[in-house]
Amino acid sequence: MTRQFLSLGLVTLLVQCSSAGAGPDACPSAESAFEAILQDSSMRNGVRGSQAAVLIPGRPAWDGVFGKNGVTDAMRSDLMIGTGSISKMYAVVAALRLVDQGTIALDDTLGRWFPGTPNVDPSISLKLVMQQTSGLADYSSAPNYSATIFADPNRYWEPDELLQFIGPPLFAPGTRWNASNTNRLLLDIIVARESGLSLGTFMQRELWPGRTQSWVAGDGPAPGPLATQWASNASGGLYDFSALYFGPALFSSRIEVQASAGDIAAFAQSTFAGPLLTRATRAEMLTIVPDDGGIAGQTGGGLGIRQYNYLGRTLYGHSGATGNSTALVLYDPATGAVAAVSINQGGSGHGNSHFRTTPALLQAAIACIES
């Protein structure tokens, strides 16, 4: 997939970057380009509030914001927003940490932890679970899931209690690809059981040590403020989803990572190019199989990650979407650049603009590096 992501004005900024030459002071206008991309795309697409982050090796991290958080207050870069299906990437990387530590193995089967769980084939390997080729039905898509969860908004759901919502398998293990939240749920349970820690404590220790803008929602108190998150009603208007639904039932049943765009970008950089995984485990993660083709530009899936073809390049990362938030993080293996965008609004309200804004930011970063 090729697409022209930058306007002529932004190209001019990058030409100015190129004229600066290589070295630590190269691309003095890069931050201006990033800011212009975020502001332009957000305004064009009716984004209520957005965060963005760009990481270029050897340069300070760039964080930007646009628009509103709540009704009148401005969006801030330290607010945590729901990551949606990027939580699948967090869960897999957490499990891969245990693989590297020798606690579990990719060829272990679910029968080790779930020998008699209805609709969970005990012969399915962890590799298929991480690869999203297990065939397990999505527990959060069960017909009675939402009604049951929201019947008591103040109830805290233990992860094992959510297993009851898993329906009949969708297909034979290993024969197709389907992004199922059940795969993430099972990995979350395994990580907690094997580590002897709560999922949030394990992820804090292993995946984002020292960072305070990431949190497994519902696992202890939030370490920082959450963004107000907005959803679209039947007529297309926005309503405050946070005020209506954020609480024990939603947080504990979703088991979603809430994070700032800066923390998402840092996590991706540590996953793809940093110390989180061994070389052998990362190679397994980057082994790509065909996906369902449901997202434009997505060309396959690995262990907890997605492969994309934007900018004429092979990129890795993950997207996330709920009714109240959207996000995308992309990593360019050729340059080591990372771009992330997080929006405090469901994708239907802004035309899924994160699939345009994030590649544009990465394009600007690559232009800076290659100048």
Side-chain angles (χ1 to χ4, degrees):
M1 175 180 178
T2 58
R3 184 182 295 178
Q4 186 64 38
F5 287 97
L6 299 181
S7 69
L8 289 177
L10 300 182
V11 169
T12 300
L13 282 172
L14 294 177
V15 169
Q16 294 172 358
C17 289
S18 298
S19 66
D25 295 325
C27 295
S29 299
E31 287 75 13
S32 297
F34 301 150
E35 184 68 27
I37 290 166
L38 178 63
Q39 299 294 319
D40 179 68
S41 182
S42 297
M43 287 188 290
R44 282 172 181 264
N45 292 287
V47 168
R48 181 169 186 84
S50 57
Q51 302 173 339
V54 177
L55 301 179
I56 296 176
R59 292 177 64 100
W62 175 83
D63 292 289
V65 295
F66 168 86
K68 300 296 184 184
N69 169 46
V71 175
T72 59
D73 59 310
M75 175 56 69
R76 308 195 322 254
S77 61
D78 66 321
L79 297 175
M80 295 182 287
I81 301 176
T83 64
S85 284
I86 297 177
S87 296
K88 296 183 176 75
M89 181 175 168
Y90 282 100
V92 169
V93 175
L96 290 177
R97 290 284 290 177
L98 293 180
V99 170
D100 279 337
Q101 294 165 13
T103 304
I104 61 176
L106 291 176
D107 59 359
D108 284 343
T109 59
L110 292 179
R112 173 175 167 180
W113 299 277
F114 310 100
T117 301
N119 296 316
V120 175
D121 183 343
S123 70
I124 295 173
S125 70
L126 289 187
K127 183 172 183 177
L128 296 186
V129 172
M130 296 180 190
Q131 198 179 63
Q132 299 289 346
T133 58
S134 68
L136 294 167
D138 191 329
Y139 79 94
S140 62
S141 296
N144 62 333
Y145 168 78
S146 293
T148 304
I149 294 300
F150 289 116
D152 183 359
N154 292 314
R155 174 178 173 177
Y156 182 90
W157 288 81
E158 294 292 342
D160 286 347
E161 293 181 298
L162 301 171
L163 299 174
Q164 65 182 284
F165 296 107
I166 302 173
L170 303 178
F171 50 83
T175 61
R176 288 170 49 196
W177 187 95
N178 180 68
S180 171
N181 283 310
T182 295
N183 294 317
R184 175 177 57 83
L185 170 63
L186 299 183
L187 291 174
D188 288 343
I189 292 172
I190 290 169
V191 168
R193 288 184 186 176
E194 292 297 326
S195 69
L197 302 170
S198 72
L199 180 68
T201 300
F202 182 84
M203 287 191 175
Q204 172 68 50
R205 188 185 75 181
E206 299 286 331
L207 304 190
W208 58 73
R211 304 191 73 91
T212 59
Q213 295 162 16
S214 298
W215 175 56
V216 177
D219 192 335
L226 300 181
T228 302
Q229 297 175 36
W230 300 82
S232 299
N233 58 28
S235 60
L238 292 180
Y239 66 91
D240 186 342
F241 185 92
S242 309
L244 292 176
Y245 297 110
F246 276 12
L250 180 82
F251 284 152
S252 62
S253 64
R254 276 192 182 178
I255 323 180
E256 179 187 19
V257 175
Q258 303 266 330
S260 66
D263 267 22
I264 295 172
F267 166 67
Q269 185 182 61
S270 295
T271 295
F272 292 115
L276 278 184
L277 303 175
T278 64
R279 181 177 299 180
T281 302
R282 186 177 289 118
E284 290 278 4
M285 180 184 70
L286 294 174
T287 301
I288 304 300
V289 299
D291 65 9
D292 62 0
I295 294 177
Q298 186 172 303
T299 55
L303 303 187
I305 63 158
R306 304 288 173 262
Q307 179 179 272
Y308 302 88
N309 182 11
Y310 295 131
L311 316 176
R313 292 170 178 254
T314 296
L315 308 174
Y316 300 106
H318 213 296
S319 62
T322 68
N324 51 279
S325 64
T326 41
L328 175 64
V329 61
L330 295 172
Y331 166 76
D332 176 38
T335 62
V338 179
V341 168
S342 190
I343 299 172
N344 67 339
Q345 175 186 354
S348 63
H350 58 82
N352 291 316
S353 63
H354 52 304
F355 288 113
R356 296 183 293 278
T357 311
T358 314
L361 289 168
L362 191 64
Q363 184 181 11
I366 291 168
C368 174
I369 294 169
E370 295 184 343
S371 62

